[in-house]
Amino acid sequence: MSFETILLAAEQQANAFMSALGAPEGLQTSLLLNSLRHNEDCAFGRHFNFRGITSVRAYQQNVPIMHYAGYEPWIERCVNGEKMVLTADDIDFYFSSSGSTGEPKRIPSTSAYVKNIYLPMAYISLQRMRQYVPGVLGNFNKIINFKWDPISEEDAVSGDTKKTGLSQVNWSKKVGIADHFEPGMGAPWASPGAIVNQLDRLYYRLCVAAVYPDVFGFVGINPRLIATIPYLLDSRKDELLRDVHDGTLLGKPFRPGDPGRAAAIEKNMQHSGQLKPCHIWPAVKLMYCWTGGTAALYRHRIPLDYGNDIQIFSAPVAASEGPVAIPVSRSSFGGPLALPFVFLEFIEATEEIGPGSKTLLYDALEKGKYYHVILTNTSGLYRYALGDIIRVSAIINGVPYAEYAGRNKVLQLQSCRLLETDVTAAAVAAAAQCEWSLVNLSCCIDWDRNDRLLFAVEFDGYALPEDAYAFAVLVDDALCALHPGYQQGRAGGSIHLPVVQPVAKHGFARDWIRRVEAGVRPAQVKDKIFITDQKEWQYLCQPA
């Protein structure tokens, strides 16, 4: 695919998206009813009488809201080779979604979904980057894309229990789409080949790219990965400098040595003594990753590690199941809801999700409020509880703009039901009031007493006990202001002041490595605000 073709596709998709949002009335209803008509003869459609559904209200009355567990028996039938189960289309892939507990989820997907939803979303994002960073297209393959992690063709076939990520499929072979439609997918460092170890696959990219000082940008999507890259570089700096100097990689000859390049990198890092991305790639101009949720705690560190000239672009609020909101500018209030692509319903975040929960449509959402997302896509998921919470940050021309706020995770502290989004918002508010820079944090209920929260906080630099106490007070104040139940518990004495346990330097980076070594792909190791496993907590809080 030529750059001109990519440019045209990006511009067309962005224009079509904004044009559709200009007349949102009826858009969602027609999208839903067309999908129901297409799939009314599949097993799921017959079971829930899709043929008899002629309105949104009838759809909500006939089809219950279900989490992934409710779909597992249906998906299992598809995996075993049965046709016409969830959709009239053939299921071509089972995308691996980073399940929070146990095995990752297998999300069915079709070629039509990829062509009509996933790729347009990617092109819309590319058009936004092109508008703000004009050189992005000319430097298309000078971008390190940590999201793109190709695997062998046989690992991603329909009817197989093997699973893959959206970023691991060769689209040209699977659905007839030309390769290299995303930034960096044709770069020399893009494909680690048969390397099995996930950390070595990541190192391969960094090491191969290290001889190219003109790297233009990074695609990371997951901000936790972006935040950990500086530590990974510094922890293997001696190996990387030696590999660049000698032309080796992972202990084997790989390319001609480049002593001059190794010397230049070493000179760039002399002042700090720490190897950062900006010491290797001083020309970086863009970063593409999620910026909502817990990333708000540490996204300010990106220019410090990657270079002051970098522009940060927020990735779409999306999951393997489908998009929710797609940013179209560099604004700080997220992006418009993906109304042309998926049918969306919402439940206020303070409410629990049940099969018959009352839902809201896009035009009933309110600015500043938090909502659960209920999604219907074109690949066989109907009224699917996504597990994410969004915050409506603006309403423009009748279309809500949303940002990712957190996962639908709950801690029961006495009679107070705390959401992950409550704790994240309180931590962000507390950090904004103090002079400390935070690397990251996690939270749990005190293991010995069920009347207070414990916070594991990695401060950027040395923290005195007084600093930890002061941060506990600020978080406590913020939680009281944000959550009436928490404030009542504090006032009544059933909830006590949180305790902050400082985490040793690089503690969260080491925890990230532990999870990758346990088998999770780097792109899927996300921030974990709530920890319910005491061994995980002890590992995170152990001395350096």
Side-chain angles (χ1 to χ4, degrees), residues 49 187 203 234 254 256 293 300 357 374:
N49 190 28
Y203 176 77
D234 192 58
F254 180 73
H300 67 280
S357 292
I374 310 300

Side-chain angles (χ1 to χ4, degrees), residues 62 74 77 85 138 148 179 233 241 243 246 251 263 328 330 348 362 367 388 427 438 451 459 492 532:
N62 280 40
W74 298 91
R77 289 169 61 180
V85 177
W148 170 241
D179 261 340
L233 281 174
L241 289 170
D243 283 340
D246 297 343
V328 293
R330 287 202 61 207
E348 289 199 19
Y362 79 93
K367 179 182 176 181
D388 288 336
L438 302 185
D451 61 358
F459 294 91
T532 56

Side-chain angles (χ1 to χ4, degrees), residues 20-41:
L21 293 177
E25 300 85 0
L27 182 64
Q28 285 276 276
T29 300
S30 61
L31 181 72
L32 173 65
L33 295 182
N34 287 340
S35 178
L36 297 181
R37 296 291 77 77
H38 181 68
N39 295 306
E40 62 186 19
D41 290 327

Side-chain angles (χ1 to χ4, degrees), residues 144 189 200-212 233 239-244 247-250 254-255 265 280-281:
I144 301 177
W189 50 80
D200 284 345
R201 289 178 69 84
L202 196 53
Y203 176 77
Y204 171 96
R205 293 178 172 179
L206 298 171
C207 185
V208 173
V211 301
Y212 297 88
L233 281 174
E239 180 183 2
L240 185 140
L241 289 170
R242 183 173 60 251
D243 283 340
V244 171
T248 53
L249 180 61
L250 298 174
F254 180 73
R255 62 188 169 197
I265 296 173
I280 307 174
W281 305 291

Side-chain angles (χ1 to χ4, degrees), residues 9 12 35 48 62 212 230 304 310 338 350 370 375 390 415 468 527:
Q12 289 176 339
S35 178
F48 290 105
N62 280 40
Y212 297 88
L304 301 177
I310 200 166
T350 53
Y370 294 80
L375 176 146
I390 60 164
S415 61
D527 289 320

Side-chain angles (χ1 to χ4, degrees), residues 144-433:
I144 301 177
N145 191 335
F146 292 119
K147 179 171 74 75
W148 170 241
D149 186 21
I151 59 176
S152 60
E153 182 178 352
E154 61 270 17
D155 285 339
V157 296
S158 178
D160 196 317
T161 56
K162 295 177 181 177
K163 305 172 291 294
T164 182
L166 271 165
S167 55
Q168 294 182 289
V169 178
N170 186 329
W171 299 116
S172 64
K173 293 184 178 180
K174 292 296 179 184
V175 293
I177 297 169
D179 261 340
H180 309 156
F181 74 93
E182 283 194 43
M185 288 171 62
W189 50 80
S191 300
I195 298 173
V196 175
N197 182 281
Q198 291 288 350
L199 292 175
D200 284 345
R201 289 178 69 84
L202 196 53
Y203 176 77
Y204 171 96
R205 293 178 172 179
L206 298 171
C207 185
V208 173
V211 301
Y212 297 88
D214 58 346
V215 164
F216 189 78
F218 294 87
V219 172
I221 305 299
N222 185 347
R224 180 73 182 271
L225 171 58
I226 293 299
T228 308
I229 289 296
Y231 173 77
L232 294 176
L233 281 174
D234 192 58
S235 64
R236 298 180 75 161
K237 63 187 174 188
D238 293 338
E239 180 183 2
L240 185 140
L241 289 170
R242 183 173 60 251
D243 283 340
V244 171
H245 183 282
D246 297 343
T248 53
L249 180 61
L250 298 174
K252 298 179 180 179
F254 180 73
R255 62 188 169 197
D258 194 340
R261 178 68 180 136
I265 296 173
E266 194 164 15
K267 181 179 179 181
N268 289 342
M269 61 170 280
Q270 277 181 348
H271 180 70
S272 67
Q274 176 186 351
L275 182 59
K276 297 182 178 183
C278 60
H279 298 144
I280 307 174
W281 305 291
V284 167
K285 293 293 187 292
L286 72 87
M287 174 68 71
Y288 181 69
C289 64
W290 292 321
T291 58
T294 52
L297 289 168
Y298 54 79
R299 66 188 178 205
H300 67 280
R301 296 184 52 83
I302 291 177
L304 301 177
D305 291 329
Y306 289 85
N308 291 325
D309 293 335
I310 200 166
Q311 296 189 57
I312 304 172
F313 292 88
S314 180
V317 181
S320 299
E321 296 88 341
V324 178
I326 306 174
V328 293
S329 70
R330 287 202 61 207
S331 65
S332 59
F333 47 76
L337 295 179
L339 301 180
F341 297 128
V342 289
F343 181 73
L344 294 169
E345 300 172 76
F346 305 90
I347 300 171
E348 289 199 19
T350 53
E351 300 179 14
E352 295 189 49
I353 301 174
S357 292
K358 181 180 179 181
T359 60
L360 303 169
L361 301 182
Y362 79 93
D363 55 358
L365 304 187
E366 297 180 42
K367 179 182 176 181
K369 285 194 173 183
Y370 294 80
Y371 298 94
H372 300 290
V373 179
I374 310 300
L375 176 146
T376 297
N377 68 15
T378 59
S379 289
L381 297 179
Y382 309 91
R383 308 201 77 201
Y384 176 86
L386 192 59
D388 288 336
I389 294 176
I390 60 164
R391 176 181 177 272
V392 175
S393 46
I395 297 178
I396 300 176
N397 296 326
V399 177
Y401 281 54
E403 58 186 354
Y404 174 77
R407 297 287 293 162
N408 179 25
K409 300 296 180 184
V410 178
L411 282 184
Q412 192 67 42
L413 180 65
Q414 295 293 314
S415 61
C416 174
R417 184 173 178 269
L418 282 173
L419 296 173
E420 179 182 295
T421 51
D422 297 323
V423 173
T424 300
V428 170
Q433 294 182 59

Side-chain angles (χ1 to χ4, degrees), residues 87-129:
T87 172
D89 298 326
D90 288 340
I91 293 175
D92 300 292
F93 317 97
Y94 294 95
F95 292 135
S96 175
S97 179
S98 52
S100 56
T101 59
E103 286 294 312
K105 297 178 289 184
R106 290 178 295 186
I107 306 302
S109 190
T110 65
S111 296
Y113 170 84
V114 172
K115 290 181 178 180
N116 300 325
I117 297 178
Y118 175 69
L119 291 183
M121 178 177 66
Y123 284 129
I124 293 167
S125 298
L126 178 60
Q127 173 69 358
R128 178 169 56 110
M129 286 188 282

